[in-house]
Amino acid sequence: MLLWVVGWTLISLQIFHYFNSSAVDKRRDSLASMCDERARMLQDQFNVSMNHLQALAILVNTFHHSQSPSAITQATFARYAERTAFERPLTSGVAYAVRVTHAERDQFERQQGWSIKKMYSSPNSQGPGDAAVAEIRGTADEYAPVIFAQDAYKNVISFDMLSGADDRENIIRARESGKGVLTAPFQLLNGRLGVILTYSVYKSEPPANARPQERIQAAVGYLGGIFDIEALVDKLLHQLAGKQSIMVNVYDTTNEKPISMYGSNDTGSGMYHNSTLNFGDPSRRHEMHCRFMQKPQLPWLAITSSLGIFVIFLLIGYIIYATVHRIAKVEDDYEHMMDLKKRAEAADVAKSQFLATVSHEIRTPMNGVLGMLQMLMDTDLDTTQQDYVRTAQASGKALVSLINEVLDQAKIESGKLELDAVPFDVRLVCDEILSLFCGKAQEKGLELAVYVSDQVPQTLIGDPNRMRQIITNLMGNSIKFTERGHIYLTVHVIEEVMSSLDVETEIQNTYNTLSGYEVAKRRHSWQSFRLSNMDIHSSELSFAPIMPETIRLIISVEDTGVGIPLEAQSRIFTPFMQVGPSIARIHGGTGIGLSISKCLVHLMKGEIGFVSKHHVGSTFSFTAVLTRARPNANVSKSPGFKGVTALVVDHRPVRAKVTKYHLQRLGVKTELTADVSQVIPKMNCASLVTRLVLVDKETWLKESHSMPQLLSKLRSKDQSDPPKLFLLENPTNSIKSSSNISREHNLNVIMKPLRASMLEASLRRALGGVDKAHVKNGLVGNSALGSLLHKRQIIVVDDNAVNLKVAAGALKKYGAEVICADSGKKAIALLKPPHSFDACFMDIQMPEMDGFEATKRIRMMERELNERIERGEAPPECANIRRWRTPILAMTADVIQATYEHCLKCEMDGYVSKPFEGEQLYREVTRFFQNHDHVQ
């Protein structure tokens, strides 16, 4: 940067010097032009005067020497010279001297009547004095007395011009050269400097090549003109007064020391110009010196140009310097960021390892605990013991759920959380979630309900587990913070909701809800989604389908809980943040459920929001982008209920709509009524026979005075097949009261929350069908798993004795034959092909040799055997096998994405996290054996 500044400083100085030199040269050229112009004008005017003097000399020769007697007298000469003075603007006077030899002197003096005088009477005389007192000219070879003169110079008449040294020299040079000759500058009578121009008058004009002696002999007189140089130059400058003024000096430079003829003697300093003056006398030299009277102005162009260029390039230099400095800083920052990135990656690896280790260390004993509890529940226990075991198992599952939430948060932060894309039924997922919270809702006396719009397809493609996780988080919070009222789960298509917003009004009854309590309306949270996207291009709207097969759902969970205070609503989705410390003490929890849900919703290309009123309730809503699945022709909607008609009696429209939704899922045609008195008319007007009448318990109690009469009409003897009566029991009512009503009036009781499987079982039981709902939980799945694992030879590898026992017990429960191995080396020895095992459950973290290394070596042995099979060198045991591969299922407490990816990289066939349950085991084992090549 310093070299840049110094370099451009020098360049700027050179630029300044260039522009300044240009300005000086221009000023010098201007001065030379003006000076040359004045010198030329002065010469021209002087030449004019010279020409007129020559003409006067010819006139004198013609009328004086050529005629006898002379035609010119002094008076005539003076008068003529005065009248023709305008033709000689530079002369102040003229005089004529005649050539007289010594022999002719006496006669000449007698003719003129005066004696020839000496020009200078004393050595100190500056010029001729008075002729009356002047000294008589002494004897000389020849004389040149003045005989004619202009009136202003009549005093020079009779003076001998040859008596002065300078005049004598001029006269001699004039008659020898035949040209005008100038004297040296001298002071005139008026005090100014002047010169005399002398011309020789010849009796007859000598030829051009005449010799000097011939010219001397031919000379008869001398005409002199006096020039006032100062007046001459002043007049010239006055004519040029309109132009720029300059200082003019005129010098006679004939001698070594110049004689100033015009101007001050102060030559000054600075720029000047010399112009040569040629007055026609080659023996004398004259010059005109010119200077500007004013000092030159500052060279602003040079200053501004050089300074501007210097500033511009200084800025450019600064920009380059700043850029280089910035690049260097960016490079340093990049190196620093790369270092931080390496540290972060190392920290991420360390965190992943830490999570894997902690997860494994916690899940390993939890696997033993839950597995042993499950095995304990399969033994003969009394009611108290079973309650204790269930409580312990529920606590263990809660701990595993907490670990899963923390691990999910870690996956989200590392960006390694991915979604599955499998077909699923969102209605079944909602039923499962209701079943999960059914017990807690009944404990608190809350009413649970789910409603899925008819526009939602039967089968969708997405991640059902993550969808279940989001809804479970929202439902869990609602259960946790709600003490009375209801929790209502709804699923709609986004276009259906948006169109309903345009027609909904605020006039609707605030208490027209599931339980009659005031709620924070769902439409406000839906509307906030809509308004937040109004300014976005239609192709970017979160509600606008991207592709024809894409569908967008909006799911809401409505509760009548404590609500969220306004000051806490801004941090509701912040990880590990809760509404307040009192809430955390009363209800517990980690505070990351909503944060995880928000991240999952974003992965589903949706958004999540809520509306809440303190002490009224909250409604959480989120959107999700899913894909329509191709319709399956094998799926049927409960054909056993086709043609069945039901009448639902409920004074709450929302609750009646929920009941109708569940009945229609079973294929039951449903009518609604809120008035008990309209039951009989509606049944009579129906095109089909009404076989089912469902009355909500709250409506029954409200219309208790009318219910006996209604029952008697429904059970009249006129009807051969009276409709079946059902009482929809609200968990807010006591079970004892419900039992009394059902026994007294012989009613079938259906307990809420309504679910398709439970409702189907109740209706089939009432209509005389098979009650599939009383099949022991998990029997179907367990029997299918049992048929899949029956007589299978399975090896379980785990270094933990408890986990080994739990895994072996779980597999033996389904009929598998299990061999246990407590190390990777033993597993390699047992699985050396050919062998009789159908599958292997391999723990990952084991001492000496972990599951990854053991799997690699097993696959290496299998590749060697397969190569032998291809060459036809296979042993007899492999005669009917084209390719040998033993399914190996990873069995570990690690549930992070890195572990799963490592399992696939090591050629494992599946992944089961500990502790595992029957459903998960069935799902993995089904895929396990479907892809098994060597099992015949």
Side-chain angles (χ1 to χ4, degrees):
M1 187 64 185
L2 180 61
L3 292 176
W4 179 273
V5 172
V6 172
W8 279 102
T9 300
L10 296 176
I11 293 174
S12 298
L13 291 176
Q14 290 180 354
I15 293 172
F16 173 81
H17 177 71
Y18 171 77
F19 281 100
N20 187 53
S21 300
S22 298
V24 170
D25 292 341
K26 184 177 180 181
R27 183 178 174 84
R28 180 177 290 108
D29 292 341
S30 177
L31 178 63
S33 176
M34 290 188 291
C35 193
D36 291 340
E37 179 184 11
R38 284 157 176 74
R40 185 180 64 255
M41 292 180 66
L42 182 61
Q43 288 182 170
D44 291 343
Q45 294 186 9
F46 194 85
N47 290 334
V48 170
S49 298
M50 289 177 62
N51 291 334
H52 283 283
L53 284 178
Q54 285 184 326
L56 184 59
I58 295 172
L59 181 67
V60 170
N61 185 35
T62 302
F63 291 98
H64 176 66
H65 293 287
S66 298
Q67 291 186 10
S68 182
S70 174
I72 299 176
T73 63
Q74 167 57 32
T76 304
F77 182 88
R79 188 167 55 253
Y80 178 81
E82 192 69 29
R83 290 182 179 181
T84 58
F86 68 91
E87 295 178 349
R88 301 179 299 278
L90 302 184
T91 59
S92 58
V94 292
Y96 178 73
V98 66
R99 180 180 181 186
V100 178
T101 62
H102 180 68
E104 299 172 341
R105 176 176 179 176
D106 292 339
Q107 183 182 359
F108 174 78
E109 287 178 347
R110 286 193 301 269
Q111 289 177 354
Q112 296 296 331
W114 44 259
S115 299
I116 299 175
K117 308 294 192 303
K118 186 178 182 180
M119 178 170 284
Y120 300 101
S121 301
S122 62
N124 296 328
S125 305
Q126 298 297 324
D130 187 2
V133 294
E135 182 180 355
I136 301 298
R137 175 73 166 97
T139 302
D141 293 336
E142 62 177 319
Y143 310 94
V146 177
I147 60 174
F148 303 131
Q150 199 169 344
D151 287 343
Y153 291 90
K154 288 194 302 181
N155 61 313
V156 298
I157 293 177
S158 74
F159 283 96
D160 182 11
M161 300 300 295
L162 292 177
S163 61
D166 293 335
D167 296 323
R168 180 182 179 84
E169 181 182 355
N170 286 347
I171 290 173
I172 292 173
R173 288 192 298 110
R175 67 187 183 185
E176 288 179 353
S177 63
K179 297 180 180 179
V181 175
L182 291 174
T183 63
F186 64 96
Q187 190 171 9
L188 301 177
L189 297 177
N190 55 12
R192 296 181 179 180
L193 289 179
V195 292
I196 297 176
L197 176 63
T198 304
Y199 275 101
S200 180
V201 178
Y202 299 98
K203 187 174 182 180
S204 60
E205 185 65 24
N209 56 353
R211 291 178 297 176
Q213 187 62 33
E214 293 176 351
R215 291 182 179 277
I216 293 174
Q217 294 297 328
V220 294
Y222 314 98
L223 181 67
I226 302 173
F227 289 84
D228 188 344
I229 298 299
E230 293 186 25
L232 174 62
V233 178
D234 283 339
K235 184 178 181 181
L236 174 64
L237 296 180
H238 180 71
Q239 293 177 355
L240 301 173
K243 299 183 181 181
Q244 183 177 358
S245 298
I246 60 174
M247 182 184 297
V248 176
N249 285 26
V250 179
Y251 295 94
D252 184 334
T253 59
T254 304
N255 301 324
E256 294 182 0
K257 185 177 180 180
I259 301 173
S260 177
M261 300 175 65
Y262 177 83
S264 63
N265 293 325
D266 184 13
T267 57
S269 60
M271 184 186 304
Y272 74 96
H273 179 75
N274 294 344
S275 294
T276 302
L277 295 173
N278 183 8
F279 291 145
D281 186 355
S283 63
R284 305 205 68 85
R285 296 187 300 273
H286 299 86
E287 291 182 358
M288 178 180 285
H289 294 187
C290 300
R291 299 177 186 273
F292 284 109
M293 298 180 64
Q294 296 178 351
K295 293 183 178 180
Q297 295 181 351
L298 291 175
W300 290 113
L301 179 61
I303 294 174
T304 55
S305 300
S306 59
L307 185 61
I309 292 175
F310 177 75
V311 171
I312 290 172
F313 281 93
L314 191 65
L315 291 175
I316 293 174
Y318 176 76
I319 293 172
I320 295 174
Y321 171 77
T323 303
V324 172
H325 181 71
R326 179 63 178 172
I327 293 173
K329 187 176 183 303
V330 169
E331 290 177 351
D332 293 340
D333 292 344
Y334 174 76
E335 293 179 358
H336 181 63
M337 290 300 295
M338 291 300 296
D339 183 57
L340 293 178
K341 180 176 178 290
K342 292 179 181 178
R343 294 183 185 179
E345 290 174 349
D348 184 62
V349 172
K351 183 178 73 172
S352 300
Q353 293 175 350
F354 171 77
L355 289 174
T357 303
V358 172
S359 172
H360 183 273
E361 295 301 325
I362 296 177
R363 284 173 173 271
T364 297
M366 285 305 302
N367 178 49
V369 171
L370 295 179
M372 287 302 177
L373 289 174
Q374 184 63 43
M375 296 174 68
L376 184 60
M377 288 182 65
D378 294 335
T379 62
D380 294 332
L381 300 174
D382 58 28
T383 304
T384 304
Q385 291 172 333
Q386 287 184 355
D387 182 60
Y388 290 165
V389 173
R390 287 194 183 95
T391 303
Q393 192 177 40
S395 299
K397 289 182 178 179
L399 180 57
V400 173
S401 176
L402 176 61
I403 296 172
N404 288 337
E405 285 187 348
V406 175
L407 291 175
D408 282 343
Q409 183 67 27
K411 289 179 184 179
I412 290 169
E413 291 177 354
S414 61
K416 295 181 179 180
L417 187 63
E418 298 179 355
L419 299 180
D420 293 333
V422 296
F424 72 99
D425 188 347
V426 69
R427 293 173 175 83
L428 295 181
V429 171
C430 293
D431 286 348
E432 292 172 2
I433 295 172
L434 253 64
S435 300
L436 180 64
F437 293 103
C438 181
K440 293 182 180 179
Q442 289 183 357
E443 290 176 5
K444 288 189 170 185
L446 303 175
E447 185 167 358
L448 283 181
V450 61
Y451 174 79
V452 181
S453 171
D454 294 338
Q455 297 187 23
V456 178
Q458 184 71 25
T459 306
L460 298 170
I461 296 178
D463 193 331
N465 294 325
R466 295 304 180 183
M467 181 73 74
R468 184 184 296 108
Q469 182 178 356
I470 298 171
I471 301 175
T472 301
N473 279 335
L474 299 179
M475 292 284 288
N477 287 338
S478 295
I479 289 285
K480 186 187 301 183
F481 297 110
T482 303
E483 301 297 331
R484 86 286 185 273
H486 69 269
I487 298 171
Y488 186 28
L489 171 63
T490 61
V491 182
H492 291 83
V493 177
I494 198 70
E495 290 80 9
E496 175 189 7
V497 170
M498 290 298 104
S499 61
S500 67
L501 286 179
D502 297 331
V503 298
E504 284 189 1
T505 62
E506 293 291 343
I507 306 176
Q508 294 177 342
N509 189 358
T510 306
Y511 298 96
N512 182 19
T513 61
L514 188 69
S515 61
Y517 287 93
E518 182 184 1
V519 296
K521 287 183 179 262
R522 294 172 296 166
R523 65 184 301 273
H524 294 302
S525 61
W526 297 345
Q527 194 172 19
S528 67
F529 290 158
R530 185 188 190 194
L531 293 176
S532 66
N533 291 275
M534 286 185 66
D535 296 332
I536 304 177
H537 192 270
S538 60
S539 63
E540 300 176 352
L541 283 175
S542 62
F543 307 134
I546 301 173
M547 296 181 293
E549 64 273 13
T550 299
I551 186 171
R552 296 177 183 265
L553 301 182
I554 183 166
I555 303 169
S556 298
V557 177
E558 174 187 283
D559 66 57
T560 56
V562 296
I564 305 172
L566 185 62
E567 64 274 8
Q569 293 184 6
S570 61
R571 62 176 185 272
I572 199 69
F573 292 107
T574 305
F576 304 104
M577 295 293 292
Q578 293 186 335
V579 173
S582 60
I583 298 296
R585 288 195 299 269
I586 296 173
H587 301 282
T590 60
I592 60 175
L594 288 177
S595 173
I596 294 174
S597 299
K598 183 176 181 180
C599 294
L600 293 176
V601 168
H602 287 169
L603 287 176
M604 295 180 181
K605 300 180 181 179
E607 55 183 328
I608 187 170
F610 68 95
V611 59
S612 181
K613 291 183 180 180
H614 198 35
H615 299 306
V616 172
S618 303
T619 300
F620 281 80
S621 301
F622 70 93
T623 60
V625 178
L626 303 174
T627 305
R628 300 175 188 268
R630 294 181 179 179
N632 191 348
N634 298 325
V635 178
S636 61
K637 291 188 177 181
S638 303
F641 295 101
K642 186 176 182 181
V644 177
T645 303
L647 180 64
V648 176
V649 183
D650 196 338
H651 67 282
R652 295 194 184 280
V654 177
R655 192 165 54 195
K657 184 175 71 171
V658 171
T659 306
K660 181 179 179 180
Y661 153 71
H662 287 287
L663 289 171
Q664 288 180 338
R665 289 177 64 189
L666 301 176
V668 179
K669 184 177 180 181
T670 307
E671 295 290 335
L672 303 179
T673 181
D675 190 357
V676 176
S677 62
Q678 296 296 320
V679 174
I680 300 300
K682 279 185 174 291
M683 292 179 63
N684 295 332
C685 293
S687 59
L688 298 176
V689 179
T690 302
R691 299 184 61 188
L692 307 174
V693 177
L694 295 87
V695 184
D696 189 82
K697 177 65 178 296
E698 187 179 354
T699 304
W700 182 287
L701 296 177
K702 181 180 179 182
E703 302 289 342
S704 58
H705 60 281
S706 304
M707 296 310 298
Q709 183 180 0
L710 175 63
L711 291 177
S712 63
K713 291 181 179 180
L714 292 175
R715 293 171 177 175
S716 63
K717 296 180 180 180
D718 298 338
Q719 300 186 29
S720 59
D721 187 12
K724 301 294 182 181
L725 295 177
F726 294 86
L727 184 67
L728 299 177
E729 173 59 38
N730 193 324
T732 57
N733 303 120
S734 64
I735 298 177
K736 182 177 180 181
S737 173
S738 174
S739 301
N740 292 335
I741 295 175
S742 62
R743 283 198 302 269
E744 180 182 354
H745 300 286
N746 191 22
L747 301 175
N748 298 297
V749 178
I750 299 178
M751 295 297 297
K752 298 178 182 179
L754 297 180
R755 289 152 290 168
S757 58
M758 178 273 299
L759 185 59
E760 181 182 3
S762 299
L763 296 181
R764 288 186 183 279
R765 184 172 60 250
L767 295 175
V770 179
D771 186 5
K772 296 182 180 180
H774 287 86
V775 179
K776 185 178 180 181
N777 290 338
L779 180 60
V780 177
N782 291 343
S783 62
L785 187 58
S787 64
L788 189 64
L789 294 177
H790 184 67
K791 297 299 182 179
R792 297 284 188 180
Q793 298 287 327
I794 298 178
I795 179 172
V796 179
V797 185
D798 199 321
D799 64 310
N800 188 288
V802 175
N803 289 341
L804 200 62
K805 185 176 182 180
V806 170
L811 294 172
K812 288 178 181 179
K813 178 181 177 180
Y814 302 111
E817 296 179 5
V818 181
I819 301 298
C820 297
D822 59 359
S823 68
K825 292 183 178 180
K826 291 183 179 180
I828 293 173
L830 291 172
L831 292 176
K832 183 177 180 179
H835 54 74
S836 59
F837 293 104
D838 297 301
C840 173
F841 283 75
M842 179 79 71
D843 185 34
I844 291 179
Q845 295 186 1
M846 295 183 293
E848 296 184 9
M849 182 182 294
D850 59 17
F852 298 132
E853 183 63 26
T855 302
K856 290 180 181 178
R857 296 192 181 186
I858 292 170
R859 297 304 184 208
M860 187 180 299
M861 293 187 298
E862 291 176 349
R863 280 192 292 270
E864 293 176 356
L865 178 60
N866 291 330
E867 292 175 358
R868 293 172 57 190
I869 292 174
E870 292 177 359
R871 294 195 302 266
E873 301 174 359
E877 297 87 343
C878 304
N880 297 326
I881 298 175
R882 291 174 298 176
R883 183 174 177 272
W884 188 283
R885 181 181 176 85
T886 303
I888 300 177
L889 189 69
M891 185 177 59
T892 179
D894 297 341
V895 292
I896 61 176
Q897 183 73 14
T899 304
Y900 175 70
E901 294 174 354
H902 199 181
C903 290
L904 297 181
K905 185 177 181 181
C906 294
E907 299 184 81
M908 290 185 170
D909 297 278
Y911 184 97
V912 174
S913 61
K914 296 186 290 187
F916 55 81
E917 298 178 354
E919 180 183 355
Q920 181 193 21
L921 185 63
Y922 174 73
R923 183 173 63 251
E924 290 297 329
V925 168
T926 301
R927 184 174 58 84
F928 208 52
F929 288 120
Q930 286 176 349
N931 299 326
H932 183 23
D933 294 332
H934 80 277
V935 175
Q936 303 295 326

